[in-house]
Amino acid sequence: MSVPGPFGSGNPFEGMPIFGDLARMFQAQGPVNWDVARQIGSYMAAQGEPEANVDPLVRISFEELARVAELHVANRTGLDTTVGGKPLTVRPANRSTWAETTLDAYRPLFETLAGALGSGGMPAGMEARIEGDENAEISEELLGNMLQVMAPTILGMQLGLMTGHLARRSLGQYDLPVPRPPRDELVVVAANLERFASDWSLPPDDVRLWVCLDNITHAAVLGRTHVRETLLQLLETYAGGFRPDPEALSSRLETIDPSDAQSWENAFGDPRALLGSMETDEQRAVKPRLEALTVTIEGYVDYILDSVGTGLIGSYGPLAEALRRRRVEANAGDRFVEQLFGLELSQKQYDRGEAFVRGIVERAGEDGLARLWSEPRHLPTPAEVDAPGLWLERISLPDD
């Protein structure tokens, strides 16, 4: 029986044709088997069922609403809402398509993670157990080679599982404030938006307009080169700080029967199999700066949405409350994916970002808020996020 992981109980890979040929699975080049990751991500996103294309009328609706949102965000923020001179557009997609685009977008971070996890070598204690067993049928060299061969596929399984889980829940591509390669097209999940609107009895067009505003505002902030590069550097440092848990990996390996595909699935279906302890000293050192920047981005985006949405979206009050409750009710799988990137997007952190932004506006008005993304030295420190007056005082000082 499979051990329940953060993404639910049961065997998430049950019935997948990919496990019919283990030899083919292990023929990977590089630190991650991306073919496995894509297949599992798509399968998990669609729950193994065929997905229909998005209705053309829904696409037209998003095209019209995105134009409205882009105009209001540009006017309200003063930020550039174009990429290469092209205005931002919003494309509704099905879940498996969203999973595939997200896997590609997060690939640099995932490869950094893979490099960190691949630096541990043979699990501690495994060598001693081999040398102490005169009847061992497997040599140290063979086991080391096996681990090297297995690692890309194991990571592919886990990354596909996580991406597929995100696709089942995410509304747009910036549910997590993780920069993506600059493109003038933003991808949202049509089925999830429809389900959210239905669950909360909200007008579908109001929810669509909100997700357009949200994603375009995120894209405008992350379109600032220094914001994007700083956040990516912090995320890469955190991802690169993971270290494999030798004891956990050893115990997983001991349960594997090479002739039984189910034993592989049971051993590595839970992403915690390789990650082990969630934070190292290196990660704890970078996390305050990472949190400071992400909560500032989220606080700013929420402020802009409140400012624009109140007058533009008829059901904005109920919609905002539904979104707040959605954040609070995030499940273990959501939290695990957040932790993978060093993000702690609890309501407490959203409130922290909101208090910082509103503190700026109360003290310095909209002109003060406009300075937030204007240059690299204006990005707040962790201490300043909790004391907006200190931030305003610092940025008012002349450059050294």
Side-chain angles (χ1 to χ4, degrees):
M1 179 180 295
S2 301
V3 178
F7 305 116
S9 60
N11 178 7
F13 306 116
E14 184 176 359
M16 288 192 63
I18 188 174
F19 292 100
D21 186 355
L22 288 174
R24 179 173 54 83
M25 286 170 55
F26 296 131
Q27 292 174 354
Q29 299 295 324
V32 178
N33 188 321
W34 293 108
D35 288 339
V36 169
R38 290 189 185 91
Q39 290 184 55
I40 291 181
S42 296
Y43 184 92
M44 292 297 297
Q47 296 291 281
E49 299 294 333
E51 284 189 290
N53 292 326
V54 177
D55 189 313
L57 293 178
V58 173
R59 293 183 180 277
I60 292 172
S61 175
F62 271 102
E63 290 175 4
E64 297 172 347
L65 293 171
R67 286 195 292 269
V68 173
E70 189 271 335
L71 177 62
H72 280 82
V73 171
N75 289 340
R76 191 69 181 80
T77 66
L79 296 173
D80 186 5
T81 55
T82 66
V83 175
K86 296 181 179 180
L88 291 168
T89 60
V90 177
R91 176 169 70 94
N94 59 31
R95 294 182 178 111
S96 57
T97 298
W98 190 93
E100 184 175 340
T101 60
T102 297
L103 192 63
D104 288 340
Y106 290 175
R107 182 166 179 162
L109 287 175
F110 286 153
E111 289 187 337
T112 298
L113 171 66
L117 294 177
S119 64
M122 181 178 293
M126 181 70 78
E127 179 178 347
R129 286 198 298 274
I130 293 173
E131 292 180 349
D133 184 358
E134 297 180 355
N135 297 318
E137 297 180 359
I138 183 169
S139 68
E140 175 185 343
E141 180 180 1
L142 180 59
L143 179 58
N145 290 337
M146 184 177 72
L147 291 176
Q148 290 181 343
V149 171
M150 288 165 50
T153 296
I154 294 169
L155 281 168
M157 292 178 188
Q158 297 177 339
L159 298 181
L161 177 63
M162 287 184 281
T163 307
H165 171 81
L166 284 176
R168 298 293 303 174
R169 176 174 168 82
S170 294
L171 302 180
Q173 69 180 46
Y174 287 119
D175 278 30
L176 293 179
V178 177
R180 298 185 177 216
R183 294 187 60 187
D184 60 352
E185 183 180 77
L186 306 173
V187 182
V188 300
V189 190
N192 293 351
L193 289 164
E194 292 172 7
R195 183 178 61 193
F196 177 75
S198 176
D199 288 347
W200 292 93
S201 300
L202 296 165
D205 274 350
D206 283 4
V207 175
R208 292 169 188 164
L209 180 53
W210 172 84
V211 82
C212 290
L213 289 167
D214 178 77
N215 279 261
I216 289 174
T217 306
H218 273 100
V221 173
L222 295 174
R224 299 288 293 165
T225 301
H226 68 278
V227 178
R228 172 187 173 78
E229 290 181 351
T230 300
L231 182 52
L232 277 175
Q233 181 182 33
L234 293 171
L235 289 166
E236 287 173 356
T237 299
Y238 191 90
F242 276 108
R243 294 295 178 266
D245 182 343
E247 292 302 321
L249 183 55
S250 295
S251 63
R252 297 272 175 169
L253 290 172
E254 290 171 354
T255 68
I256 294 176
D257 175 357
S259 65
D260 181 8
Q262 183 69 45
S263 71
W264 294 86
E265 297 161 8
N266 291 343
F268 298 111
D270 183 348
R272 291 170 295 199
L274 286 187
L275 299 188
S277 178
M278 284 307 301
E279 284 192 331
T280 61
D281 289 341
E282 181 182 2
Q283 290 173 317
R284 281 188 286 271
V286 75
K287 192 170 183 178
R289 289 184 291 143
L290 177 56
E291 288 182 345
L293 183 51
T294 54
V295 302
T296 299
I297 292 171
E298 294 307 290
Y300 178 86
V301 171
D302 282 353
Y303 178 83
I304 297 300
L305 290 178
D306 287 346
S307 301
V308 175
T310 301
L312 195 62
I313 299 175
S315 65
Y316 188 77
L319 173 57
E321 174 60 20
L323 290 164
R324 187 196 68 79
R325 292 185 61 179
R326 180 176 180 270
R327 288 173 174 173
V328 172
E329 295 169 357
N331 61 33
D334 303 321
R335 294 297 181 222
F336 186 86
V337 174
E338 291 172 6
Q339 291 168 3
L340 178 69
F341 292 114
L343 306 174
E344 185 183 339
L345 299 177
S346 63
Q347 188 59 47
K348 180 180 179 181
Q349 291 289 54
Y350 281 109
D351 291 343
R352 185 184 177 207
E354 179 185 0
F356 173 68
V357 170
R358 293 196 179 278
I360 294 174
V361 175
E362 290 170 0
R363 292 168 173 80
E366 298 287 344
D367 290 340
L369 186 61
R371 302 179 66 185
L372 189 56
W373 313 118
S374 59
E375 54 182 285
R377 80 179 190 94
H378 287 181
L379 297 180
T381 66
E384 289 169 347
V385 171
D386 297 314
L390 292 179
W391 177 78
L392 286 167
E393 183 178 352
R394 178 176 65 81
I395 69 168
S396 297
L397 296 174
D399 293 334
D400 295 334

